[in-house]
């Protein structure tokens, strides 16, 4: 079999303008520090454990917010109900669908991307975050370590405590977070759509 990696869109490789940063502040209703999740709301994304871990993090960083992009997938998630039951309405923000040009600024302004999936085929958000200069806290399973290499803080996705401690490790040590950012910028540029296209062409040529 042949593995062909995807790449990030050009928007994530370009500097974020001050205007886009201002739009992010308007979208979120303020300038509090925040953790970011990008992806669908399905069970394999492990979002309930993320919320539980966030409550641990918030006890240490009370100003920290959690931003969840996307929207509910019928039959898979009850995240809004969870937030209401645990009185997290002011700490967990649901901006809905975020257009790609604004998503790059949302990544860039985040304290960290949190990506605690139980499994992934190809998880683009950690690569997009890396391209935007944002550290990632990610699961140590599936394709994620292969994709991101040593440019992430890895956690056990089945442990709420481990997810929380992974987030805290990034938040409490700016020097460590900066090292993850530097590694991530290098890692994100290892992939390109040109290489992906060449890989597909080679597969077709060999098949013929």
């Amino acid at each position: 079999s042949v593995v062909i990696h995807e790449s990030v869109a050009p928007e994530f490789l370009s500097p974020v303008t001050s205007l886009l940063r201002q739009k992010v502040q308007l979208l979120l209703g303020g300038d509090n520090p925040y953790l970011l999740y990008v992806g669908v709301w399905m069970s394999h994304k492990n979002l309930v454990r993320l919320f539980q871990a966030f409550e641990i993090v918030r006890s240490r960083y009370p100003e920290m917010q959690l931003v969840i992009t996307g929207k509910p997938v019928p039959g898979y998630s009850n995240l809004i109900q969870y937030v209401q039951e645990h009185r997290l309405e002011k700490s967990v923000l649901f901006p809905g669908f975020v257009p790609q040009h604004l998503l790059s600024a949302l990544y860039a302004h985040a304290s960290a991307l949190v990506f605690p999936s139980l499994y992934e085929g190809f998880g683009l958000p950690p690569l997009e975050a890396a391209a935007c200069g944002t550290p990632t806290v990610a699961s140590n399973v599936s394709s994620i370590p292969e994709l991101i290499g040593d440019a992430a803080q890895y956690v056990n996705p089945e442990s709420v405590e481990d997810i929380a401690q992974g987030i805290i490790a990034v938040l409490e040590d700016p020097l460590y977070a900066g090292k993850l950012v530097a590694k991530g910028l290098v890692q994100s540029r290892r992939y390109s759509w040109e290489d992906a296209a060449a890989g597909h062409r080679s597969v077709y040529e060999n098949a013929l």
Side-chain angles (χ1 to χ4, degrees):
S1 64
V2 178
V3 177
I4 300 174
H5 293 108
E6 298 179 53
S7 181
V8 299
E11 290 90 342
F12 300 108
L13 300 171
S14 303
V16 174
T17 65
S18 59
L19 177 60
L20 284 177
R21 287 185 180 274
Q22 291 173 13
K23 287 185 176 180
V24 165
Q25 291 179 19
L26 289 173
L27 177 69
L28 301 181
D31 197 27
N32 279 35
Y34 63 88
L35 304 168
L36 177 64
Y37 166 79
V38 174
V40 297
W41 299 11
M42 296 180 72
S43 54
H44 72 282
K45 295 296 188 175
N46 207 24
L47 295 180
V48 171
R49 284 196 184 99
L50 171 57
F51 281 2
Q52 294 168 342
F54 173 65
E55 292 190 77
I56 297 173
V57 172
R58 199 169 64 95
S59 67
R60 187 161 175 173
Y61 297 91
E63 297 300 311
M64 188 63 62
Q65 295 179 314
L66 175 62
V67 176
I68 306 287
T69 67
K71 58 184 182 179
V73 178
Y76 281 98
S77 59
N78 227 346
L79 303 186
I80 295 176
Q81 182 179 336
Y82 182 98
V83 166
Q84 292 171 343
E85 290 176 351
H86 290 78
R87 300 180 180 178
L88 294 170
E89 292 94 333
K90 292 183 179 180
S91 298
V92 179
L93 308 179
F94 297 103
F97 171 77
V98 178
Q100 195 155 278
H101 73 281
L102 187 55
L103 185 57
S104 63
L106 197 63
Y107 276 123
H109 200 50
S111 297
L113 173 77
V114 188
F115 202 69
S117 302
L118 295 170
Y119 62 87
E120 284 289 339
F122 186 94
L124 263 178
L127 204 59
E128 293 171 343
C132 293
T134 298
T136 290
V137 178
S139 300
N140 60 3
V141 300
S142 197
S143 63
I144 301 172
E146 176 187 352
L147 178 67
I148 302 299
D150 62 353
Q153 166 68 43
Y154 290 108
V155 297
N156 175 2
E158 296 186 4
S159 168
V160 170
E161 182 67 27
D162 203 46
I163 295 170
Q165 290 306 314
I167 294 170
I168 291 171
V170 172
L171 297 180
E172 72 179 2
D173 189 344
L175 183 61
Y176 174 57
K179 289 179 179 178
L180 292 181
V181 167
K183 292 176 180 179
L185 289 171
V186 173
Q187 186 74 2
S188 66
R189 282 152 178 77
R190 289 184 56 205
Y191 304 95
S192 73
W193 285 113
E194 289 79 8
D195 289 344
H200 280 97
R201 184 170 60 248
S202 176
V203 169
Y204 292 138
E205 288 173 349
N206 291 335
L208 293 172

